[in-house]
Amino acid sequence: MSLFSKDVGIDLGTANTLVYMKGKGIIMREPSVVAVDTKTDEVRCVGAEAKAVIGRTPGSIVAVRPLKDGVIADFDITTNMLENFLKKACGNSMFSRPRVVICIPSGVTEVERRAVREATLKAGARQVSVIEEPMAAAIGAGLPISEPTGSMIVDIGGGTAEIAVISLGGIVASRSVRMAGDMFDQAIIAFIKRKYNLLIGERTAEQIKIEIGSAYALDPEMTMEIKGRNLVDGLPKNIVVHSEDVREALLECLVKITSAIKETLERTPPELSADIIDRGITLTGGGALLRGLDQLIQSETGIDVHIAEDPLDCVAKGAGAVLDHVDVLHDVLDTDGPHM
């Protein structure tokens, strides 16, 4: 390993991208958003700066989210965004081409996997290894993945919910459902439109989800005043939304996630199922912060559910742990030939 190179782990998420640097921990946390000028196809700004302009840009500048459901929807813009993040993290010198461990959803196709690898190389990485998100999340949450016991991880991000049972450093059973934070926001937008004839934007929907969203009955229930456009007369209007509304809006999404958890449990070998009953299910990702989600999964499966410490950081921390202990954890990586 060269003296000058910096090793980084990247959690390339649909909503946020986190960068972990070997020896320093998480050094960057930026929204996966790029502002592009449609007249010139030029990238104006990336990350938090670009997110601030969503829904507030002149016609010629659009805020693009180049990842959809955890996979690359726009190759060039993703490459540009990664390049920007890597420069920010590693500096600009010719010696700073890092070795990168990057996380991808477990349900991706070979083509999608290759696209992530190629975009990262094109963005300036010297060598790229890929790790599946549930595995990275399990490592980041401190689960004993190398032992011959079953651990179950549910990682709910912005684009996908990743569910996996892990034993002996490998994934025994898994499901990847394209149903997560972004879909929660869309469900809230659709519900408010249907029930209150009010049109709200994605940022407002996300705010509602964070402030009063829940998966299980709250005591006391909460309310929040929101602004939007009245669809009857087209004028701005304020309304009060209740936490029961948000729960009703999210019901269908949550049913899909709990069903996927049950299906994964059904496909788990009996010996490992016994371990999961003893140890419980670990929740990671931004979705783990939805109030009462642990209670909902517990009541649906009858198994204890624990929320990991710093659930938003588990995937990035897992990628970082692989960099720090590559001799022990190299089996969990998928590394293509010539770049190593």
Side-chain angles (χ1 to χ4, degrees):
M1 153 143 185
S2 118
L3 186 65
F4 302 105
S5 102
K6 301 173 175 178
D7 289 359
V8 295
I10 299 177
D11 170 13
L12 184 62
T14 309
N16 296 293
T17 296
L18 277 68
V19 178
Y20 179 107
M21 185 172 279
K22 190 170 179 176
K24 290 190 181 172
I26 292 172
I27 55 164
M28 214 169 83
R29 187 192 305 271
E30 293 266 1
S32 306
V33 181
V34 180
V36 181
D37 189 327
T38 51
K39 286 179 186 161
T40 59
D41 273 349
E42 194 185 330
V43 169
R44 284 295 186 85
C45 51
V46 170
E49 236 180 298
K51 185 171 183 180
V53 303
I54 284 185
R56 303 187 169 184
T57 52
S60 66
I61 296 173
V62 290
V64 179
R65 296 179 67 177
L67 292 132
K68 189 167 173 12
D69 302 334
V71 296
I72 292 178
D74 188 312
F75 185 82
D76 293 333
I77 293 180
T78 303
T79 304
N80 207 305
M81 180 177 81
L82 277 170
E83 196 174 342
N84 194 295
F85 290 161
L86 285 174
K87 271 184 189 154
K88 240 187 230 181
C90 305
N92 238 341
S93 88
M94 61 176 287
F95 295 119
S96 61
R97 292 191 62 191
R99 295 195 303 181
V100 174
V101 170
I102 193 160
C103 307
I104 54 164
S106 58
V108 301
T109 64
E110 203 42 60
V111 173
E112 290 166 338
R113 185 181 288 252
R114 201 160 52 239
V116 170
R117 199 188 294 279
E118 279 170 16
T120 314
L121 285 166
K122 206 171 159 193
R126 181 163 57 94
Q127 156 195 322
V128 182
S129 303
V130 171
I131 180 172
E132 295 192 343
E133 260 162 39
M135 180 63 85
I139 296 170
L143 298 180
I145 63 142
S146 307
E147 293 174 17
T149 55
S151 302
M152 187 171 202
I153 189 98
V154 178
D155 176 52
I156 303 171
T160 58
E162 303 283 323
I163 301 142
V165 173
I166 295 169
S167 176
L168 278 173
I171 291 177
V172 180
S174 71
R175 278 292 311 268
S176 178
V177 210
R178 295 192 171 181
M179 179 62 66
D182 286 352
M183 295 295 280
F184 293 176
D185 297 347
Q186 293 303 328
I188 291 169
I189 292 173
F191 183 86
I192 302 282
K193 188 175 171 183
R194 202 168 56 238
K195 181 167 179 182
Y196 294 105
N197 267 329
L198 191 79
L199 193 62
I200 57 169
E202 286 177 18
R203 287 172 65 171
T204 305
E206 188 179 14
Q207 222 177 329
I208 294 170
K209 175 181 73 181
I210 291 168
E211 290 192 20
I212 62 167
S214 71
Y216 211 73
L218 297 174
D219 184 23
E221 295 288 353
M222 298 189 285
T223 58
M224 174 183 174
E225 189 174 350
I226 59 163
K227 298 178 178 64
R229 192 174 84 228
N230 186 344
L231 287 167
V232 180
D233 57 16
L235 298 174
K237 183 183 173 187
N238 287 10
I239 62 160
V240 172
V241 177
H242 299 262
S243 49
E244 294 100 314
D245 287 339
V246 188
R247 207 158 46 246
E248 192 179 331
L250 297 179
L251 182 67
E252 201 179 320
C253 299
L254 295 170
V255 165
K256 284 189 177 155
I257 291 173
T258 49
S259 304
I261 293 172
K262 288 182 196 165
E263 279 170 38
T264 311
L265 284 166
E266 282 163 19
R267 299 213 308 269
T268 303
E271 283 78 9
L272 297 181
S273 299
D275 295 336
I276 293 165
I277 291 168
D278 292 344
R279 315 180 78 107
I281 296 169
T282 303
L283 272 188
T284 63
L289 300 173
L290 182 68
R291 292 172 196 79
L293 183 58
D294 49 346
Q295 289 167 276
L296 177 72
I297 296 171
Q298 198 158 317
S299 73
E300 288 288 321
T301 59
I303 298 172
D304 285 346
V305 178
H306 318 285
I307 297 170
E309 207 178 315
D310 303 327
L312 286 164
D313 299 350
C314 285
V315 175
K317 278 185 182 163
V322 174
L323 287 169
D324 293 338
H325 308 287
V326 80
D327 45 339
V328 186
L329 295 170
H330 59 84
D331 289 350
V332 302
L333 292 174
D334 166 22
T335 309
D336 255 11
H339 308 304
M340 279 316 274

